[in-house]
Amino acid sequence: MLKRSKIYKFLAFSFILSSLFGVVIYTQLTNRHKAIIKTLLLHKTGLVDSDWHINSNQKEYRMLSPTFVIDGIYKSMEGPKASRYIQLNQSDSLVWITGFDVNAIDAKTNEILPNDFICHMNVDINDAQYYSHWKLENRIGKQYPRMTSLSHGLEHFDFPKGYGVPIIGSDYLFITTQTLNHNQPDIFKKVKHKVSVKYETYDKTQKPLMSKTVYIQLPFDKFDPFKGPLDPASNQCIPVETKNHTYCDKTGNLLSGHWVIPQGKKTYRSSITEQLQIKDSARLHFSAPHVHPFATSISLFDKTENKTVFTCDITNYKNKIGLKKIATFSSENGIWLYGKHEYELVMTCDNTSKADQDMMGSMFLFFYDKELDEKISGS
């Protein structure tokens, strides 16, 4: 039988060995996964505030995120993040979502910080619950259930007057907010995100919008995905990774929605006709783009008519890496898209840095939802 002292020595040795093994594994993780582990430990141990703070009224649902510790460079989709479910109210009444807002604040002073610390704020719906309520079960699973996303350069927007996304007040929305830091490697800063969902009561005059997500997908060599250099005239890309944002077309070719851009200017384009799923025609009223730094514009292009439907210009900071402003498309009258037309997303980039950078290009498109309008009005 082992003596107690030997048991303690064995336990101590096992602890040291497992700790060393954990450190080795941790050092091999990506920056994104390191951030997940650090944030989890900081929140679980209570070293930083891990609670969401809620303050809502009849026109706005406001949240203050847990504390995020920024301790180094975090590029797009790498920084500390937090998620939670929310209900705009506790009733079965119909409300109309009219806009969104996110700000970064200093966790100690409550001072509003630059948008440098905002990566994105996602709003997801439960599409099974949402469409079942309206008896539109044929829509379930047809689109990625993300209503929209705010991101670096587009930290707030409002839908055109008289339009919005209808939702039952007690239905759940899933909110995720994530931090960013492109420019300050030597930093230790505690940050929170202030998130707002704007809404109003239904007065029978508002028109419903339906969100559809479209994004650029570029082919890559599935046998050697990270090879280079690529033919400058090719639409092929080098993916950032092959585990996330990787898709497969009908012929078995692999496509990436998160790819590497070289230095200099380049244009990327991708068909979005299948993503749009337009049967006959649809009237578009709003678009919220999502791009990464060094993008300079993103356009919806009608390939059938060989013309640009609209372009959202993108302004980069000149003295640092980051997006100053991403323009949206917004129209009360709307513009028509047609089921028999072919459409593309076209994005221009100008990588003025001295290294390759990562890129994404997508749009959240909001169409007038005639079918849902008839369900709500009872006509």
Side-chain angles (χ1 to χ4, degrees):
M1 186 173 181
L2 290 175
K3 293 182 179 180
R4 184 175 297 179
S5 60
K6 290 186 177 181
I7 294 176
Y8 289 154
K9 289 180 180 179
F10 176 77
L11 291 175
F13 177 77
S14 299
F15 175 77
I16 294 172
L17 188 63
S18 60
S19 297
L20 289 173
F21 180 75
V23 169
V24 171
I25 295 298
Y26 177 81
T27 59
Q28 296 177 349
L29 295 175
T30 63
N31 210 30
R32 179 167 66 93
H33 288 99
K34 287 179 181 177
I36 292 172
I37 292 174
K38 282 189 287 189
T39 303
L40 180 63
L41 289 175
L42 289 170
H43 287 170
K44 290 295 184 181
T45 57
L47 293 175
V48 298
D49 177 24
S50 61
D51 294 327
W52 288 81
H53 300 276
I54 308 300
N55 180 15
S56 62
N57 55 45
Q58 293 183 350
K59 292 186 177 181
E60 194 172 12
Y61 190 100
R62 295 190 292 267
M63 299 167 283
L64 191 61
S65 76
T67 298
F68 304 118
V69 174
I70 309 298
D71 59 352
I73 294 294
Y74 290 108
K75 298 180 70 174
S76 298
M77 302 186 296
E78 289 185 351
K81 62 181 179 179
S83 304
R84 70 162 290 145
Y85 286 98
I86 69 167
Q87 295 169 294
L88 297 182
N89 61 46
Q90 301 297 314
S91 75
D92 292 332
S93 61
L94 182 63
V95 297
W96 229 256
I97 296 175
T98 58
F100 303 91
D101 191 86
V102 60
N103 287 289
I105 67 169
D106 189 297
K108 291 184 178 180
T109 66
N110 290 327
E111 175 190 2
I112 297 292
L113 298 173
N115 68 351
D116 296 21
F117 300 109
I118 298 171
C119 180
H120 60 255
M121 189 279 289
N122 296 332
V123 183
D124 295 345
I125 63 170
N126 181 328
D127 66 337
Q129 179 188 52
Y130 186 84
Y131 289 122
S132 293
H133 179 85
W134 310 112
K135 300 188 185 305
L136 295 170
E137 288 86 355
N138 61 315
R139 296 187 182 183
I140 297 172
K142 297 295 179 61
Q143 286 270 338
Y144 188 73
R146 179 150 296 159
M147 182 189 299
T148 194
S149 180
L150 299 181
S151 58
H152 181 51
L154 180 59
E155 295 84 24
H156 59 85
F157 69 74
D158 295 305
F159 294 121
K161 184 179 179 181
Y163 289 87
V165 178
I167 189 171
I168 300 301
S170 58
D171 280 359
Y172 284 98
L173 295 172
F174 189 62
I175 307 294
T176 298
T177 190
Q178 186 169 27
T179 53
L180 183 73
N181 176 34
H182 279 297
N183 299 290
Q184 301 182 52
D186 300 318
I187 186 175
F188 186 87
K189 194 172 189 65
K190 295 180 179 179
V191 174
K192 288 178 176 284
H193 284 176
K194 185 185 293 185
V195 178
S196 173
V197 181
K198 304 172 191 177
Y199 66 97
E200 61 190 25
T201 56
Y202 178 47
D203 63 10
K204 298 185 179 181
T205 64
Q206 302 100 323
K207 297 296 182 182
L209 294 173
M210 171 176 54
S211 175
K212 293 188 176 186
T213 307
V214 295
Y215 44 91
I216 292 177
Q217 305 174 86
L218 301 175
F220 63 90
D221 187 338
K222 61 182 177 182
F223 301 107
D224 192 3
F226 306 113
K227 74 175 183 180
L230 300 176
D231 181 351
S234 171
N235 199 40
Q236 195 178 61
C237 76
I238 294 177
V240 172
E241 59 172 316
T242 57
K243 293 181 180 179
N244 298 302
H245 305 288
T246 297
Y247 315 97
C248 187
D249 66 15
K250 292 181 178 179
T251 59
N253 295 314
L254 291 182
L255 309 170
S256 178
H258 188 200
W259 68 97
V260 176
I261 62 169
Q263 298 174 58
K265 296 181 179 180
K266 191 165 175 59
T267 299
Y268 300 91
R269 59 197 315 132
S270 173
S271 173
I272 57 168
T273 305
E274 290 187 14
Q275 297 172 37
L276 284 171
Q277 299 179 22
I278 298 175
K279 295 180 180 179
D280 179 28
S281 60
R283 196 171 76 226
L284 178 68
H285 289 272
F286 190 82
S287 173
H290 170 76
V291 299
H292 289 183
F294 303 105
T296 54
S297 72
I298 186 166
S299 304
L300 179 63
F301 186 78
D302 187 329
K303 194 174 180 181
T304 302
E305 294 191 356
N306 194 32
K307 70 176 185 179
T308 299
V309 181
F310 66 86
T311 297
C312 295
D313 292 323
I314 301 158
T315 306
N316 285 258
Y317 287 106
K318 294 183 179 180
N319 59 345
K320 60 183 178 180
I321 296 176
L323 298 173
K324 189 174 183 179
K325 183 178 180 181
I326 302 173
T328 61
F329 166 81
S330 182
S331 169
E332 289 185 36
N333 293 328
I335 52 175
W336 288 95
L337 302 187
Y338 302 98
K340 292 184 179 180
H341 285 207
E342 294 285 328
Y343 294 97
E344 292 180 323
L345 275 187
V346 180
M347 183 169 66
T348 61
C349 300
D350 185 8
N351 181 1
T352 56
S353 74
K354 296 180 180 180
D356 291 347
Q357 300 290 342
D358 69 294
M359 184 55 63
M360 298 182 81
S362 63
M363 285 186 179
F364 296 92
L365 301 176
F366 291 86
F367 295 88
Y368 166 60
D369 194 335
K370 181 180 178 182
E371 187 178 17
L372 182 54
D373 199 5
E374 292 172 349
K375 294 274 188 180
I376 292 173
S377 63
S379 59

